[in-house]
């Protein structure tokens, strides 16, 4: 298996080189040169596997034996050993048609832990085996940063700098990132929004001289290994839901940077028979507008009750567009240039029909989000976080009769108490979260100014 850039100007790479490259050197995103297909018989065999065993089976299609099996197995076991449940991503049945895949049982109570615990282990492994300097640079709307920091804090040979939008993450997210006092962690709190933070890091990764000199590595879903690790729970969910061999299965995914749902798209291309992939967003509804009209146009940024999805420029949209245009890098590059120069792109005709076959999408309004939380608490005694509530609202909009819907619970409600208290629900915080409120914070507040951020990075990486 080789990996290539969506823009077509990078020599095919192996697995580890792809992990280290992060953003492709031509400014595109890395994708597999060919998507491996899993047969129906193999899928049936996988039903009895544990999460860790399933992970190893799926990832083996991509790693080219570059990592000995025993080493990979050890990394996977270590990654999931500190989850609070042995199933890693347990399934909660709400009623006859709705299942919730709980992705928040890792150290930072959000779905990002599932991929980032593994990535922390992988970077540590590469650093030791290849004597590589690993200087992670990431942007977050709150959850990626916390999970990435947890994944690598205190690890030898690794430093991590995370940019988060100042005042635009929840209190618990801020505390999870900034109460970490390991010397290999730097939190930059940037005046701006998540899109601004993501743009700065993409610009720095695209500056190959800077990237090389400072050994910059990506932990965002820019990095293909994030996408790959996230495909595992699509398989796990599908294979562990009752009736999945008789009924159509739809999966509803709270979405922002389009990484999670792109992992679902990849799982489907690998042969997982998902029926509808449902994109759930909040009022930052660029993805809903794209699916309904074919126009992809970043609009005005809106702060909502689901702040982790307050994103207008969805990074992984480029990966999907690449497949939509028939894996034609020239066409893809032309679209991306148009987005740069004209601020929007449009797909029409057969391409738009294909988009509408691939996805359904709903942008959930703030009041609908709160009403959904209140409804599920009242009717089922099940407390949703606001991102998951958007996912459930979209499930309700698109799940047909006799279909099963799996909604991904991407975060624990305790991370977003600001929204939950608005509907007078009092929740008990888990002890790990309660403890954060007593700890000192470490962060540097900076303007949204690339030069200032570069100065901070140079001082931190110390090269
Ligand atoms: C809790 C939560 N839900 C949903 C999302 C959206 O996921 P993605 O960016 O992969 O689309 C995020 C952020 O990524 C998140 O933190
Ligand atoms: N919601 C995310 C945004 C970054 O997404 P990623 O999947 O590219 O890391 C966050 O919590 O930071």
């Amino acid at each position: 298996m080789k990996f290539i850039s969506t823009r077509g100007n990078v020599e095919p790479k192996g697995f580890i080189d792809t992990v280290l490259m992060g953003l492709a050197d031509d400014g595109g995103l890395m994708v597999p040169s060919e998507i491996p297909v899993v047969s129906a018989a193999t899928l049936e065999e996988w039903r009895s596997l544990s999460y860790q065993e399933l992970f190893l089976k799926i990832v083996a299609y991509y790693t080219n034996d570059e990592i000995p099996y025993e080493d990979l197995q050890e990394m996977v076991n270590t990654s999931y050993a500190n989850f609070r449940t042995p199933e890693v991503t347990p399934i909660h049945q709400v009623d006859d048609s709705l299942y919730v895949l709980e992705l928040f049982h890792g150290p930072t109570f959000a779905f990002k832990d599932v991929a980032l615990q593994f990535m922390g282990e992988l970077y540590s492994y590469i650093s030791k085996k290849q004597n590589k300097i690993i200087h992670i640079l990431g942007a977050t709307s709150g959850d990626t940063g916390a999970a990435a920091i947890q994944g690598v804090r205190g690890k030898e040979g690794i430093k991590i700098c995370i940019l988060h939008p100042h005042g635009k993450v929840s209190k618990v997210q801020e505390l999870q990132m900034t109460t970490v006092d390991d010397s290999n962690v730097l939190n930059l709190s940037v005046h701006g929004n998540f899109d601004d933070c993501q743009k700065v890091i993409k610009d720095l990764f695209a500056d190959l001289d800077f990237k090389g000199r400072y050994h910059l590595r990506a932990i965002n879903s820019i990095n293909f290994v994030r996408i790959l690790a996230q495909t595992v729970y699509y398989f796990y969910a599908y294979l562990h839901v009752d009736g999945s061999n008789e009924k159509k299965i739809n999966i509803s995914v709270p979405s922002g940077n389009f990484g999670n749902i792109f992992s679902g798209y990849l799982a489907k291309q690998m042969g997982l028979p998902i029926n509808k992939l449902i994109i759930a967003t909040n009022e930052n509804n660029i993805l809903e507008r794209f699916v309904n009209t074919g126009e992809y146009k970043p609009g005005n940024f809106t702060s909502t009750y689901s702040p982790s999805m307050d994103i207008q420029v969805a990074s992984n949209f480029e990966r999907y567009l690449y497949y939509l245009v028939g894996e034609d890098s020239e066409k893809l590059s032309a679209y991306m240039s148009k987005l740069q120069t004209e601020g929007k792109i449009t797909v029409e005709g057969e391409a738009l029909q294909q988009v509408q076959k691939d996805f359904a999408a709903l942008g959930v309004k703030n009041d609908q989000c709160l009403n959904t939380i209140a409804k599920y608490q009242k009717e089922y005694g099940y407390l949703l976080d606001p991102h998951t509530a958007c996912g459930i609202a979209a499930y309700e909009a698109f799940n047909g009769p006799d279909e099963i819907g799996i909604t991904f619970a991407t975060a624990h409600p305790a991370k977003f108490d600001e929204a939950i208290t608005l509907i007078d629900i009092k929740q008990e915080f888990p002890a790990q979260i309660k403890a954060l409120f007593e700890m000192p914070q470490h962060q540097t507040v900076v303007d949204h100014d690339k030069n200032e951020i570069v100065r901070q990075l140079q001082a931190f990486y110390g090269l």
Side-chain angles (χ1 to χ4, degrees), residues 111-112 116 139-145 173 194 198 219-222 226 230 256-260 307-311 315-316:
F111 82 97
K112 306 290 181 168
L116 284 162
T140 190
S141 54
D143 288 324
T144 294
Q173 289 178 318
F194 169 75
Q198 180 158 254
I219 39 85
N220 281 99
S221 55
I222 288 170
R226 279 279 310 282
Q230 291 171 179
N257 223 10
F258 205 71
N260 203 355
S308 294
M309 304 197 303
D310 291 347
I311 297 175
S315 181
N316 287 282

Side-chain angles (χ1 to χ4, degrees), residues 22-57:
L23 186 75
D25 283 352
D26 61 358
L29 293 171
M30 298 300 278
V31 288
S33 56
E34 235 175 83
I35 297 179
V37 175
V38 181
S39 70
T42 303
L43 269 182
E44 271 318 304
E45 284 168 18
W46 287 359
R47 275 190 200 274
S48 59
L49 300 183
S50 68
Y51 193 91
Q52 291 84 340
E53 288 165 338
L54 187 61
F55 189 109
L56 287 164
K57 293 279 184 203

Side-chain angles (χ1 to χ4, degrees), residues 430-463:
Q432 301 92 318
I433 290 186
K434 244 191 235 168
L436 296 171
F437 287 85
E438 306 301 321
M439 295 163 77
Q441 290 183 242
H442 313 271
Q443 62 183 322
T444 307
V445 180
V446 290
D447 281 338
H448 171 222
D449 168 7
K450 196 167 125 192
N451 294 333
E452 166 62 9
I453 291 167
V454 164
R455 276 194 292 280
Q456 294 286 344
L457 288 176
Q458 285 169 330
F460 177 58
Y461 294 140
L463 292 170

Side-chain angles (χ1 to χ4, degrees), residues 18-19 55 61 70 79 91 114 137 168 172 174 226-227 259 279-280 283 288 319-320 346 352 367-368 395 400 406 419:
T18 299
V19 174
F55 189 109
Y61 284 92
E70 291 69 30
S79 302
I91 297 169
V114 183
L137 177 62
K168 291 192 171 63
V172 170
E174 183 190 310
R226 279 279 310 282
I227 302 294
I279 301 171
E283 294 179 9
E288 179 195 34
R319 284 196 170 103
Y320 172 64
T346 309
L352 180 55
D367 53 355
Q368 194 182 359
Y395 146 83
I406 304 173

Side-chain angles (χ1 to χ4, degrees), residues 358-412:
D358 290 335
F359 301 107
L362 183 71
V364 178
K365 298 272 186 283
N366 262 339
D367 53 355
Q368 194 182 359
C369 169
L370 293 188
N371 290 342
T372 307
I373 299 174
K375 174 179 160 188
Y376 279 77
Q377 176 64 16
K378 185 159 179 261
E379 290 183 13
Y380 301 98
Y382 189 60
L383 186 57
L384 307 171
D385 101 282
H387 305 78
T388 309
C390 293
I392 298 263
Y395 146 83
E396 287 183 346
F398 294 112
N399 207 63
D402 284 332
E403 292 176 350
I404 287 176
I406 304 173
T407 297
F408 285 178
T410 48
H412 189 289

Side-chain angles (χ1 to χ4, degrees), residues 28-238:
L29 293 171
M30 298 300 278
V31 288
S33 56
E34 235 175 83
I35 297 179
V37 175
V38 181
S39 70
T42 303
L43 269 182
E44 271 318 304
E45 284 168 18
W46 287 359
R47 275 190 200 274
S48 59
L49 300 183
S50 68
Y51 193 91
Q52 291 84 340
E53 288 165 338
L54 187 61
F55 189 109
L56 287 164
K57 293 279 184 203
I58 294 169
V59 169
Y61 284 92
Y62 295 87
T63 48
N64 303 316
D65 294 331
E66 288 175 48
I67 304 173
Y69 182 82
E70 291 69 30
D71 292 356
L72 197 57
Q73 188 177 39
E74 197 185 323
M75 273 187 256
V76 173
N77 289 342
T78 310
S79 302
Y80 299 116
N82 50 3
F83 274 55
R84 292 178 299 281
T85 151
E87 301 101 310
V88 181
T89 60
I91 297 169
H92 175 87
Q93 182 168 9
V94 176
D95 61 21
D96 287 347
S97 62
L98 173 61
Y99 291 77
V100 173
L101 182 77
E102 295 181 343
L103 294 168
F104 54 71
H105 293 279
T108 67
F109 295 80
F111 82 97
K112 306 290 181 168
D113 288 320
V114 183
L116 284 162
Q117 279 293 306
F118 173 69
M119 242 177 125
E121 291 303 314
L122 183 60
Y123 270 140
S124 187
Y125 177 85
I126 297 172
S127 155
K128 280 185 202 132
K129 285 273 165 191
Q130 297 195 0
N131 207 15
K132 290 269 184 214
I133 298 176
I134 308 284
H135 285 165
I136 294 170
L137 177 62
T140 190
S141 54
D143 288 324
T144 294
I149 289 170
Q150 272 309 319
V152 302
R153 63 181 294 183
K155 282 202 160 93
E156 211 183 308
I158 301 184
K159 287 186 180 180
I160 181 167
C161 171
I162 295 291
L163 276 55
H164 73 261
H166 185 67
K168 291 192 171 63
V169 298
S170 79
K171 190 65 198 169
V172 170
Q173 289 178 318
E174 183 190 310
L175 290 170
Q176 283 179 327
M177 291 187 278
T178 60
T179 55
V180 175
D181 61 1
D182 297 77
S183 60
N184 70 333
V185 176
L186 174 67
N187 279 292
L188 294 181
S189 183
V190 180
H191 286 292
N193 59 40
F194 169 75
D195 293 322
D196 299 327
C197 296
Q198 180 158 254
K199 179 154 185 339
V200 171
I201 69 156
K202 279 200 169 177
D203 284 353
L204 293 176
F205 284 127
D207 178 344
L208 295 186
D209 179 49
F210 188 83
K211 179 182 177 183
R213 198 151 19 107
Y214 290 96
H215 308 275
L216 299 188
R217 318 290 180 195
I219 39 85
N220 281 99
S221 55
I222 288 170
N223 200 315
F224 180 74
V225 77
R226 279 279 310 282
I227 302 294
L228 175 59
Q230 291 171 179
T231 60
V232 177
Y233 49 71
Y234 282 84
F235 283 87
Y236 186 84
Y238 182 92

